[in-house]
Amino acid sequence: MGPERETTGRERVPAGATAASRPRGARLDQPRPPRRRFLPEWDPESFGRLSERVARFLGTGRFIVWMTVVIILWVLWNVAAPGGLRFDEYPFIFLTLALSLQASYAAPLILLAQNRQDDRDRVNLEQDRKQNERSIADTEYLTREIAALRIGLGEVATRDWIRSELQDLFRELEERSDGHRGQDGAAPAERSAGRDPHER
């Protein structure tokens, strides 16, 4: 056991520079408490999904129709309405400001949606490349197996080959039986019966 020091009114602390200098609350087996942040926090995935939804809506004909209707009503109201009810006079500065603000927010949202789509396309291309490699490897394997089967089938007796061999053997047997018949003048069955080959 190492030397230990006792302190009055406190826990027993092991001797050593590192143990004595470590603060009391910091433990290595527990996570550190989160720090306070002054900036707002957000979930990047939910923000990306929202940007994709907005970009998808901005790219539809519905958005163009609604924006055209709003601009036409805005201009008609500020031209034809009585003077006290107009909120944006003829140069339509407020309308220009609103459209530029909408464009300044739409462009980064569209870029963020395109970046997310590029990331998805990159992952899909990588998966397709791996799938193509597996397909090529499987095709090469099947090609080698088919070639091995063809080589193996070249050595296997087929039905036509067996038929031709049996026909050759049958001809050879007929030639042999004709040869025996030609030497003795009678068939082997007649000789075995003890008949005279010349008597009919």
Side-chain angles (χ1 to χ4, degrees):
M1 300 279 308
E4 293 182 355
R5 295 179 295 168
E6 280 195 40
T7 56
T8 58
R10 292 185 182 175
E11 296 178 357
R12 297 173 75 182
V13 180
T18 57
S21 63
R22 189 183 321 141
R24 187 168 180 235
R27 293 190 50 171
L28 296 177
D29 60 343
Q30 293 179 353
R32 297 176 76 178
R35 293 181 180 177
R36 264 188 207 168
R37 296 192 179 184
F38 298 105
L39 296 175
E41 295 183 12
W42 63 86
D43 184 15
E45 279 300 313
S46 60
F47 190 72
R49 285 192 296 270
L50 176 65
S51 68
E52 284 179 345
R53 260 190 234 120
V54 171
R56 197 172 292 122
F57 176 68
L58 290 177
T60 59
R62 181 185 296 174
F63 170 73
I64 295 173
V65 169
W66 278 110
M67 191 170 75
T68 306
V69 168
V70 167
I71 291 173
I72 290 172
L73 290 176
W74 186 299
V75 171
L76 287 177
W77 180 267
N78 288 303
V79 168
L85 296 176
R86 295 178 190 172
F87 56 89
D88 195 13
E89 291 295 330
Y90 164 65
F92 305 119
I93 296 172
F94 188 46
L95 176 63
T96 307
L97 180 64
L99 290 177
S100 62
L101 182 66
Q102 179 257 327
S104 66
Y105 271 98
L109 288 174
I110 291 170
L111 288 175
L112 180 59
Q114 286 179 349
N115 289 339
R116 284 173 59 87
Q117 186 61 42
D118 289 342
D119 293 341
R120 277 197 297 269
D121 291 342
R122 194 177 303 114
V123 170
N124 289 336
L125 285 174
E126 184 68 23
Q127 289 177 350
D128 290 343
R129 188 183 63 79
K130 289 180 180 177
Q131 182 65 34
N132 288 338
E133 287 178 358
R134 283 195 294 268
S135 299
I136 289 170
D138 292 343
T139 305
E140 289 177 354
Y141 172 75
L142 289 174
T143 305
R144 287 195 298 269
E145 289 295 316
I146 290 171
L149 285 173
R150 283 182 178 171
I151 292 171
L153 282 175
E155 300 172 357
V156 173
T158 61
R159 185 173 58 188
D160 295 336
W161 182 81
I162 291 173
R163 186 179 293 153
S164 65
E165 289 293 319
L166 288 174
Q167 287 174 355
D168 291 343
L169 286 173
F170 187 69
R171 281 194 213 101
E172 188 179 341
L173 285 173
E174 282 185 348
E175 288 172 2
R176 283 187 184 176
S177 65
D178 287 344
H180 287 300
R181 209 176 264 174
Q183 287 175 1
D184 298 342
E190 293 177 353
R191 285 202 309 272
S192 63
R195 295 186 193 169
D196 189 359
H198 296 290
E199 65 180 58
R200 287 281 176 196

